[in-house]
Amino acid sequence: MDERTRYFRRLKRLRGSARRWSVLGGGLAAATAVLTPYAGIGWADAIWAGAAGSSIALAWWRHSDHRELAATPAPPPPPPVLPGAKLSAALERFPAGRTVMNEVRRQKNRYALRGSEITQAWDRLDRAAATLTALAGRLHGPGEGALLEAAVAEEWLRDLGQRVASVERALPLTPPDQRAALAESHGSLATQFTEGVDAYERLVAAAASYVAEDGHPVAEGAHPALGSLIDATDRLRGFAEGLSELKRTPTTVFKQAAADNAGTST
């Protein structure tokens, strides 16, 4: 809900509240004025009078709040909603929808670079960004700062890539006397983009190394969790074998007893 809608909704609530309390206060005041002369002033009349006074006071406060809010300029209307914006916002509320929308945006940006000489570098940037996103949950301590820097660098690289593609599309439309200078600028931007992607990939490789080293045990040998897993497996196997022996023992004893009885009878 935008601020303008919230403003008018609150103004409407205050107007309705002021009207309700005015009607209630007027009714109670009229009832007090009519009923008091019949039995004099007693405790019931005091209740009527107190309720009437409270209602009139609340009505006056609501009218004051309404006048104060109405004197405040209303917030400006929000910008017009683009077609499909509501659907995109609804989809992004769910993890699966967010993934779909990110893929759609990625494909849209990728389509804008079709035929450009930086297409391969753009694909490398996509793969590196996806890899860093998968590693982000395990980057703690120094890795968190590097993750923030990587996000800023990725945004800059994507803007630079779009800029390179726009300049490249404008090259055929440029007059011949200006084309050489524009081509030189385009080549410089493309080189800067490629070098930036190389640096971004090195950062992702360093993040992967950090995650790999962080997962190693402090001491030499296997991780303590692996040893605990092996011990638990051995214990469960021992329990299973013990239960199997207990189940087979009564049957064996019964067969041996039957064989002994048969030998005795003969």
Side-chain angles (χ1 to χ4, degrees):
M1 184 187 301
D2 58 276
E3 293 296 329
R4 185 178 179 86
T5 304
R6 189 178 293 108
Y7 169 84
F8 284 108
R9 183 169 294 184
R10 185 186 174 198
L11 192 67
K12 182 179 180 180
R13 284 200 304 266
L14 287 175
R15 186 188 301 115
S17 178
R19 289 176 178 176
R20 287 192 298 271
W21 284 112
S22 297
V23 172
L24 182 60
L28 290 175
T32 303
V34 171
L35 297 176
T36 298
Y38 284 97
I41 299 177
W43 62 270
D45 302 300
I47 294 176
W48 282 103
S54 300
S55 301
I56 293 173
L58 285 172
W60 181 82
W61 282 334
R62 289 295 180 266
H63 279 293
S64 299
D65 294 339
H66 177 265
R67 286 194 300 269
E68 182 179 356
L69 184 61
T72 305
V81 180
L82 298 177
K86 290 185 177 180
L87 178 60
S88 300
L91 287 175
E92 289 186 350
R93 295 177 183 175
F94 307 97
R98 194 178 306 116
T99 303
V100 171
M101 292 306 301
N102 290 337
E103 182 63 21
V104 169
R105 295 190 186 98
R106 190 185 71 81
Q107 292 296 335
K108 180 180 178 181
N109 294 332
R110 176 65 173 75
Y111 182 77
L113 270 71
R114 65 191 186 280
S116 176
E117 67 179 48
I118 64 169
T119 302
Q120 293 183 355
W122 184 273
D123 293 338
R124 288 165 48 202
L125 177 62
D126 280 342
R127 289 193 296 269
T131 304
L132 187 61
T133 301
L135 296 172
R138 302 183 182 277
L139 290 173
H140 307 291
E144 294 180 353
L147 193 62
L148 294 177
E149 294 178 2
V152 175
E154 181 187 356
E155 184 178 358
W156 166 70
L157 284 172
R158 293 193 182 280
D159 178 73
L160 181 60
Q162 295 290 343
R163 194 184 301 271
V164 171
S166 300
V167 174
E168 188 173 349
R169 286 193 296 268
L171 277 175
L173 308 176
T174 307
D177 57 338
Q178 302 177 3
R179 190 171 300 171
L182 186 60
E184 183 180 357
S185 299
H186 170 264
S188 176
L189 290 176
T191 302
Q192 187 178 7
F193 178 78
T194 305
E195 292 176 353
V197 172
D198 293 339
Y200 189 87
E201 287 179 332
R202 289 194 294 270
L203 175 63
V204 174
S209 300
Y210 175 84
V211 171
E213 293 299 329
D214 188 51
H216 286 170
V218 178
E220 294 293 334
H223 196 277
L226 180 59
S228 301
L229 182 62
I230 295 174
D231 293 340
T233 303
D234 294 338
R235 287 196 301 270
L236 286 176
R237 185 180 293 112
F239 290 150
E241 293 175 355
L243 289 174
S244 177
E245 290 294 333
L246 288 175
K247 289 180 178 180
R248 286 197 300 266
T249 299
T251 305
T252 305
V253 171
F254 178 76
K255 290 182 178 179
Q256 184 65 31
D260 294 343
N261 292 332
T264 305
S265 61
T266 57

